[in-house]
DNA sequence: TATTGTTATACTCTATAACTATA
DNA sequence: TATAGTTATAGAGTATAACAATA
């Protein structure tokens, strides 16, 4: 019996009508694209996100960044250290146990590049969406996890 | 200068208007909830997804499941082995190198439980959405990664 | 007592390379 | 030559526990 060349497309996908599944697939595709797009900068998505949040909130502590991005304290330590090692952020003693984080000059430059890369990345995926549909998606997704 | 008790909520989130970011946060929250919900069955989300796909497509090979769910061949091997070890699926020799996968009786029972858990899980997150908004979300997300 | 930062550790999903066997 | 299955390995994100130092 010869294999049906359309066999793969003839398979039934019982997960298709599930929001959680569609979210996961869409998120994975966009995340992979973002990872590739940021690689030339030597940054990963998580690092880039934290960097942009530090730039937007000068003096923020790493605990606060962690709460914003749902990253645990324990995982913020190596993340912050990586950005520091790359010379993108500076830590200023706030009190005996906290540091206020700010972006360095080099960090601000990289932030600009990150924003440009992200903007193009977003455009690649939202080209088929009307501005209204795009905004509606953002709002509905934000409500989903908030 | 005293710390503002509302400092955390006063932080600016520069990622909020990004579709990729909202997708990732929403997906992470739903995935974590599904992981917790399936844990009593001794199954993880990935295993449950593969199991439902095998039930819906009796005789499917693990390569085909991998293509459906965007899981690489190399990662399908231990996944299939785990379902087999748990007695949920059976492998029937198709030819010298492929096995047709089917769910066992126990596997079919577990599939029913998985479907019930997933249905309740979906309901928890879509309670605030109209049926139209729910359907629109599914369609738009599917188009995003297809 | 609670919080911050840190280290160590482990789990899950994902990714690549390489190998065997078969179509 | 291409495909199916497997093994080994590594990376990235995430999770908990435990500890020291400080509020």
């Amino acid at each position: 019996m010869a294999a049906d060349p359309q066999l793969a497309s003839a398979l039934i996908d019982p997960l298709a009508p599930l929001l959680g599944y569609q979210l996961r697939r869409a998120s994975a595709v966009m995340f992979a694209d973002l990872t590739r797009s940021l690689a030339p900068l030597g940054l990963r998505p998580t690092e880039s996100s934290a960097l942009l949040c530090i730039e937007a909130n000068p003096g923020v502590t790493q605990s606060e960044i962690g709460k914003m991005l749902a990253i645990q304290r324990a995982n913020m330590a190596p993340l912050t250290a990586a950005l520091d090692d790359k010379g993108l952020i500076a830590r200023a003693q706030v009190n005996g146990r906290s540091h206020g984080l700010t972006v360095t000059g080099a960090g601000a430059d990289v932030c600009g590049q990150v924003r440009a890369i992200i903007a193009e990345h977003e455009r690649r995926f939202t080209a088929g969406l009307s501005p209204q549909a795009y905004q509606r998606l953002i709002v509905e997704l934000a409500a989903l996890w908030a």
Side-chain angles (χ1 to χ4, degrees), chain A:
Chain A
M1 196 185 291
D4 179 356
Q6 291 192 324
L7 181 61
S9 60
L11 290 178
I12 293 169
D13 183 356
L15 310 176
L18 300 176
L19 177 59
Y21 176 69
Q22 296 295 343
L23 268 179
R24 182 153 174 74
R25 292 298 296 268
S27 172
V29 167
M30 284 198 75
F31 194 76
D33 181 81
L34 184 60
T35 300
R36 280 191 301 272
S37 304
L38 289 170
L41 264 51
L43 289 176
R44 290 168 301 187
T46 313
E47 293 171 336
S48 306
S49 300
L51 185 61
L52 291 182
C53 287
I54 293 168
E55 188 197 35
N57 301 280
V60 72
T61 65
Q62 71 184 50
S63 284
E64 290 170 329
I65 294 289
K67 285 171 192 163
M68 265 186 82
L69 301 181
I71 300 173
Q72 313 233 357
R73 282 198 315 285
N75 299 324
M76 280 303 301
L79 212 173
T80 306
L83 293 175
D84 198 359
D85 289 347
K86 293 174 184 175
L88 301 180
I89 63 170
R91 320 194 204 197
Q93 195 94 17
V94 165
N95 56 34
R97 71 184 180 199
S98 291
H99 297 263
L101 306 179
T102 52
V103 296
T104 61
D109 287 348
V110 171
C111 277
Q113 298 177 301
V114 168
R115 272 193 299 272
I117 286 173
I118 289 182
E120 197 167 328
H121 156 76
E122 287 269 314
R123 247 178 270 126
R124 277 196 290 277
F125 288 93
T126 58
L129 288 174
S130 70
Q132 296 90 326
Y134 180 69
Q135 268 313 303
R136 194 176 49 210
L137 257 180
I138 302 275
V139 170
E140 288 176 343
L141 293 176
L144 216 59
W145 63 263

